PDB file of all heavy atoms in Angstrom:
ATOM      1  N   ASP A 111     147.369 135.107  17.329  1.00 98.00           N
ATOM      2  CA  ASP A 111     147.953 135.349  16.012  1.00 98.00           C
ATOM      3  C   ASP A 111     146.817 135.661  15.048  1.00 98.00           C
ATOM      4  O   ASP A 111     146.144 134.761  14.549  1.00 98.00           O
ATOM      5  CB  ASP A 111     148.735 134.122  15.551  1.00 98.00           C
ATOM      6  CG  ASP A 111     149.344 134.310  14.158  1.00 98.00           C
ATOM      7  OD1 ASP A 111     149.414 135.474  13.693  1.00 98.00           O
ATOM      8  OD2 ASP A 111     149.723 133.296  13.533  1.00 98.00           O
ATOM      9  N   VAL A 112     146.579 136.947  14.824  1.00 98.00           N
ATOM     10  CA  VAL A 112     145.540 137.393  13.893  1.00 98.00           C
ATOM     11  C   VAL A 112     146.254 138.114  12.760  1.00 98.00           C
ATOM     12  O   VAL A 112     146.630 139.285  12.895  1.00 98.00           O
ATOM     13  CB  VAL A 112     144.528 138.335  14.585  1.00 98.00           C
ATOM     14  CG1 VAL A 112     143.478 138.796  13.596  1.00 98.00           C
ATOM     15  CG2 VAL A 112     143.878 137.635  15.776  1.00 98.00           C
ATOM     16  N   PRO A 113     146.480 137.447  11.632  1.00 98.00           N
ATOM     17  CA  PRO A 113     147.234 138.066  10.541  1.00 98.00           C
ATOM     18  C   PRO A 113     146.569 139.350  10.044  1.00 98.00           C
ATOM     19  O   PRO A 113     145.341 139.444   9.975  1.00 98.00           O
ATOM     20  CB  PRO A 113     147.229 136.995   9.450  1.00 98.00           C
ATOM     21  CG  PRO A 113     146.921 135.710  10.153  1.00 98.00           C
ATOM     22  CD  PRO A 113     146.038 136.080  11.303  1.00 98.00           C
ATOM     23  N   ALA A 114     147.376 140.319   9.690  1.00 98.00           N
ATOM     24  CA  ALA A 114     146.855 141.597   9.199  1.00 98.00           C
ATOM     25  C   ALA A 114     145.985 141.419   7.957  1.00 98.00           C
ATOM     26  O   ALA A 114     145.051 142.196   7.743  1.00 98.00           O
ATOM     27  CB  ALA A 114     148.018 142.542   8.899  1.00 98.00           C
ATOM     28  N   ARG A 115     146.258 140.399   7.173  1.00 98.00           N
ATOM     29  CA  ARG A 115     145.485 140.204   5.940  1.00 98.00           C
ATOM     30  C   ARG A 115     144.021 139.838   6.224  1.00 98.00           C
ATOM     31  O   ARG A 115     143.176 139.926   5.332  1.00 98.00           O
ATOM     32  CB  ARG A 115     146.137 139.128   5.073  1.00 98.00           C
ATOM     33  CG  ARG A 115     146.175 137.743   5.695  1.00 98.00           C
ATOM     34  CD  ARG A 115     146.849 136.719   4.791  1.00 98.00           C
ATOM     35  NE  ARG A 115     146.896 135.394   5.406  1.00 98.00           N
ATOM     36  CZ  ARG A 115     147.836 134.980   6.238  1.00 98.00           C
ATOM     37  NH1 ARG A 115     148.855 135.792   6.553  1.00 98.00           N
ATOM     38  NH2 ARG A 115     147.789 133.760   6.754  1.00 98.00           N
ATOM     39  N   ARG A 116     143.717 139.426   7.450  1.00 98.00           N
ATOM     40  CA  ARG A 116     142.333 139.102   7.827  1.00 98.00           C
ATOM     41  C   ARG A 116     141.613 140.298   8.444  1.00 98.00           C
ATOM     42  O   ARG A 116     140.442 140.203   8.789  1.00 98.00           O
ATOM     43  CB  ARG A 116     142.304 137.929   8.815  1.00 98.00           C
ATOM     44  CG  ARG A 116     142.702 136.583   8.212  1.00 98.00           C
ATOM     45  CD  ARG A 116     142.679 135.495   9.281  1.00 98.00           C
ATOM     46  NE  ARG A 116     141.427 135.481  10.005  1.00 98.00           N
ATOM     47  CZ  ARG A 116     141.295 135.021  11.260  1.00 98.00           C
ATOM     48  NH1 ARG A 116     142.347 134.579  11.928  1.00 98.00           N
ATOM     49  NH2 ARG A 116     140.108 135.038  11.847  1.00 98.00           N
ATOM     50  N   ILE A 117     142.294 141.419   8.572  1.00 98.00           N
ATOM     51  CA  ILE A 117     141.726 142.601   9.228  1.00 98.00           C
ATOM     52  C   ILE A 117     141.317 143.628   8.166  1.00 98.00           C
ATOM     53  O   ILE A 117     142.095 143.939   7.263  1.00 98.00           O
ATOM     54  CB  ILE A 117     142.748 143.219  10.200  1.00 98.00           C
ATOM     55  CG1 ILE A 117     143.059 142.232  11.333  1.00 98.00           C
ATOM     56  CG2 ILE A 117     142.241 144.540  10.764  1.00 98.00           C
ATOM     57  CD1 ILE A 117     144.246 142.625  12.184  1.00 98.00           C
ATOM     58  N   VAL A 118     140.104 144.120   8.280  1.00 98.00           N
ATOM     59  CA  VAL A 118     139.606 145.183   7.399  1.00 98.00           C
ATOM     60  C   VAL A 118     139.226 146.370   8.275  1.00 98.00           C
ATOM     61  O   VAL A 118     138.380 146.249   9.164  1.00 98.00           O
ATOM     62  CB  VAL A 118     138.388 144.721   6.576  1.00 98.00           C
ATOM     63  CG1 VAL A 118     137.797 145.900   5.794  1.00 98.00           C
ATOM     64  CG2 VAL A 118     138.778 143.591   5.632  1.00 98.00           C
ATOM     65  N   VAL A 119     139.853 147.517   8.034  1.00 98.00           N
ATOM     66  CA  VAL A 119     139.541 148.732   8.770  1.00 98.00           C
ATOM     67  C   VAL A 119     138.284 149.350   8.153  1.00 98.00           C
ATOM     68  O   VAL A 119     138.121 149.384   6.931  1.00 98.00           O
ATOM     69  CB  VAL A 119     140.718 149.725   8.724  1.00 98.00           C
ATOM     70  CG1 VAL A 119     140.407 150.979   9.543  1.00 98.00           C
ATOM     71  CG2 VAL A 119     141.994 149.055   9.244  1.00 98.00           C
ATOM     72  N   THR A 120     137.380 149.827   9.000  1.00 98.00           N
ATOM     73  CA  THR A 120     136.072 150.306   8.538  1.00 98.00           C
ATOM     74  C   THR A 120     135.762 151.687   9.104  1.00 98.00           C
ATOM     75  O   THR A 120     136.418 152.154  10.030  1.00 98.00           O
ATOM     76  CB  THR A 120     134.959 149.326   8.972  1.00 98.00           C
ATOM     77  OG1 THR A 120     134.948 149.241  10.404  1.00 98.00           O
ATOM     78  CG2 THR A 120     135.183 147.949   8.376  1.00 98.00           C
TER      79      THR A 120
END
Side-chain angles (χ1 to χ4, degrees):
D111 179 16
V112 179
R115 63 181 179 275
R116 290 178 51 206
I117 296 168
V118 173
V119 182
T120 60

